[in-house]
Amino acid sequence: MKSLRGQMRNAERWLLHPINGVRNWVTRGFEVGVSSDQVPRGGQLDGFVTISTAQQLESVEVGVVCTEFYAVTVSSPEGGSSQGTSSAVAHEAWIPVASTPGVHTVRLRIPEDAPYAYEGDVLSFRWEVAARGRRQKGIDPRADHRIRVLP
């Protein structure tokens, strides 16, 4: 059985091709950063979104997101099965910011009872600070910065 880490790396490569290539081009001038790459559960950190141009943005949010990745068995119609990976959002909290050019800062809190960052063979929790914009037309920009939530 492939480890969950290996399956996640393969899934990330697939996800980066082709739509994320377009999204990366659309997201130029839309960046996110953090005051610290590590934060304990129950702790706080600052998230920064930098908007170089308004890019016809209707709204912008900055948030903290924890995604759970877990191994699953996938059955085929022929009766066989294989191992796969599925994911679900374990936690997310978003704060609106102005959609005007400049650097916007928000204070983000990690809940005390939230899962900590973990990468295992059958279960993983990945945290990131993300910024997402909304447009009336076209692809919505999104930028993220991976963080480590400590136990």
Side-chain angles (χ1 to χ4, degrees):
M1 176 172 110
K2 280 185 171 180
S3 74
L4 182 60
R5 274 179 271 194
Q7 291 176 20
M8 284 173 43
R9 278 191 289 273
N10 289 338
E12 286 171 346
R13 276 187 228 125
W14 182 85
L15 287 173
L16 288 174
H17 180 87
I19 190 67
N20 279 2
V22 173
R23 186 178 304 280
N24 288 342
W25 179 76
V26 168
T27 303
R28 286 184 307 198
F30 189 80
E31 300 173 14
V32 69
V34 295
S35 59
S36 175
D37 287 336
Q38 295 187 18
V39 62
R41 291 189 290 179
Q44 296 181 357
L45 73 157
D46 290 328
F48 310 99
V49 62
T50 303
I51 304 170
S52 297
T53 63
Q55 303 178 10
Q56 302 168 345
L57 294 171
E58 292 184 349
S59 65
V60 176
E61 296 175 304
V62 178
V64 63
V65 180
C66 176
T67 305
E68 174 185 7
F69 296 90
Y70 51 94
V72 294
T73 301
V74 180
S75 300
S76 70
E78 296 82 31
S81 64
S82 63
Q83 289 299 119
T85 304
S86 194
S87 64
V89 174
H91 173 79
E92 67 179 332
W94 297 94
I95 299 172
V97 298
S99 58
T100 57
V103 178
H104 306 280
T105 305
V106 297
R107 176 66 47 108
L108 302 166
R109 185 177 178 283
I110 306 296
E112 290 182 21
D113 60 348
Y116 54 88
Y118 175 76
E119 240 181 89
D121 289 338
V122 295
L123 179 66
S124 294
F125 292 97
R126 178 180 299 163
W127 284 87
E128 62 190 10
V129 172
R132 63 185 181 188
R134 298 279 186 236
R135 290 188 176 134
Q136 188 172 21
K137 295 181 181 178
I139 296 175
D140 294 333
R142 181 178 168 120
D144 45 54
H145 185 96
R146 200 150 162 201
I147 62 171
R148 181 161 178 76
V149 173
L150 306 171

